[in-house]
Amino acid sequence: MHRKTTKPVSVGPVTIGGGAPIVVQSMTNTDTRDVGATLAQINALADAGCEVVRLAVLDDEAASALKEIAAKSPLPVIADIHFDYRLAIRAVEQGIHGLRLNPGNIGARWKVQEVVRAVKERQIPIRIGVNAGSLEKELLEKYGGPTAAGMIESALGHIRLLEEEGYHKIKVSLKASSVPLMLEAYRKIYEVVDYPLHLGVTEAGTVRSGVVKSAIGIGTLLAEGIGDTIRVSLTGDPVREIPVALEILHVLGLRQRSVELISCPTCGRTQVDLALLAESVEEQLAHLPVLDKPLKVAVMGCAVNGPGEAREADFGIAGGKGTGLLFRKGEIVARLPENELLPALLREIEEYVREHAKK
């Protein structure tokens, strides 16, 4: 897939745009004023594979807490600001690495100008975050509701404002809870700006619905070469967002994974608890080190078809009635009792990891 080379911006040590790898983001849901809880969640996000984190800044106490958070965070910190431009300036003074502003609610032009003056001193990027649900009143009236055209007009207006102030360290997002609306808006803005685009389906929902919405919305655009950084928005613990985001990137070949797990959906021939077996394998392989060659592992439910259907897997197991097969690249290497399948597979993988772990 072809990606347009956008203007690169730096969020701390992380480059977004300019042909850099797609960056995974999330947002804490702790009270930012609680420094300990917020740092604990940021560390959990970092361990899961998050690369940039955003924090809500509701008041001056939260803004003041950013100084310690930004200093101790393992990830670059972006301050999320609504309504009060003074909080944006205060956040910048505390050493954060980026700002996200919603142009629909930050206020008059002079307020944005004040923010620009603050970020210019520290060369901090601003993400213009347009949400379909919070467009300016005049645009909602002009277009009869939230539309892609209205979202783009909003974004371009605020891009112009920053450009007129001589500021070009800009990222742009055009989020909506409607996937078709989000797709239309991003496709159109992609044609007219060369700033990095942050992709997301806002208010996507719970894991059940949000994963599907995000995979379709974000995945479709990435497959078209659109997007430089992503956030999967799920209700609840933000750490759960990261595996979904990484999986979207892996599936599209945009991020190398250590291991790919293949498992069949089961059928009437299955005589083992394949779901439990596959989940056990996935859990055991979740924290593999980075390998110089990705590993493909298959967990199949039928000894008749398993090795053949998973012929390209480096290693695999196929269940039967009280027994099963261990195979390598489609070739059967052992027939084992059911309770020995998982330990045997893990031993094979451990040996592979010793040989292929990056030094």
Side-chain angles (χ1 to χ4, degrees), residues 33-72:
R33 294 167 294 193
D34 186 337
V35 173
T38 301
L39 282 171
Q41 191 169 79
I42 292 173
N43 278 287
L45 285 164
D47 289 343
C50 184
E51 293 159 316
V52 172
V53 67
R54 182 159 47 104
L55 280 67
V57 183
L58 282 72
D59 56 25
D60 193 62
E61 186 181 350
S64 297
L66 292 174
K67 184 172 185 177
E68 183 176 355
I69 293 171
K72 295 180 177 179

Side-chain angles (χ1 to χ4, degrees), residues 95-293:
I96 51 93
H97 307 96
L99 278 179
R100 183 267 186 173
L101 300 176
N102 187 320
N105 63 34
I106 201 66
R109 178 185 179 115
W110 67 266
K111 294 180 179 179
V112 178
Q113 290 172 327
E114 290 294 315
V115 174
V116 170
R117 271 194 281 272
V119 296
K120 265 187 175 180
E121 293 179 10
R122 293 170 173 81
Q123 296 298 294
I124 292 172
I126 292 177
R127 170 158 70 90
I128 294 174
V130 176
N131 277 358
S134 56
L135 277 179
E136 296 94 319
K137 183 180 178 181
E138 60 269 23
L139 292 176
L140 290 173
E141 292 174 351
K142 176 179 178 178
Y143 292 99
T147 64
M151 294 168 69
I152 290 166
E153 183 171 335
S154 174
L156 292 178
H158 288 272
I159 288 171
R160 253 190 323 271
L161 174 55
L162 296 185
E163 289 177 338
E164 287 169 1
E165 296 300 316
Y167 203 72
H168 299 86
K169 295 185 180 300
I170 300 168
K171 296 177 286 153
V172 182
S173 66
L174 298 168
K175 294 186 179 182
S177 57
S178 162
V179 171
L181 176 56
M182 168 256 197
L183 291 174
E184 182 184 1
Y186 275 110
R187 283 168 174 156
K188 288 181 176 178
I189 198 77
Y190 174 76
E191 297 296 330
V192 295
V193 303
D194 57 2
Y195 293 113
L197 297 181
H198 171 70
L199 306 184
V201 181
T202 192
E203 295 129 16
T206 62
V207 171
R208 180 178 177 181
S209 60
V211 167
V212 175
K213 279 188 173 183
S214 296
I216 293 173
I218 295 172
T220 297
L221 291 170
L222 290 176
E224 296 174 6
I226 300 171
D228 301 279
T229 177
I230 65 174
R231 190 250 172 130
V232 171
S233 299
L234 301 176
T235 302
D237 185 352
V239 175
R240 295 184 301 175
E241 300 174 355
I242 308 307
V244 181
L246 292 173
E247 189 65 19
I248 291 170
L249 295 176
H250 292 154
V251 167
L252 292 170
L254 294 170
R255 182 73 63 96
Q256 180 177 326
R257 70 177 87 201
S258 293
V259 61
E260 178 181 0
L261 179 66
I262 301 167
S263 62
C264 68
T266 75
C267 69
R269 291 191 296 270
T270 305
Q271 299 181 70
V272 296
D273 188 344
L274 189 69
L276 178 62
L277 190 56
E279 288 167 6
S280 298
V281 173
E282 187 172 49
E283 183 178 346
Q284 293 288 332
L285 302 183
H287 302 292
L288 285 184
V290 177
L291 306 175
D292 59 17
K293 178 184 177 186

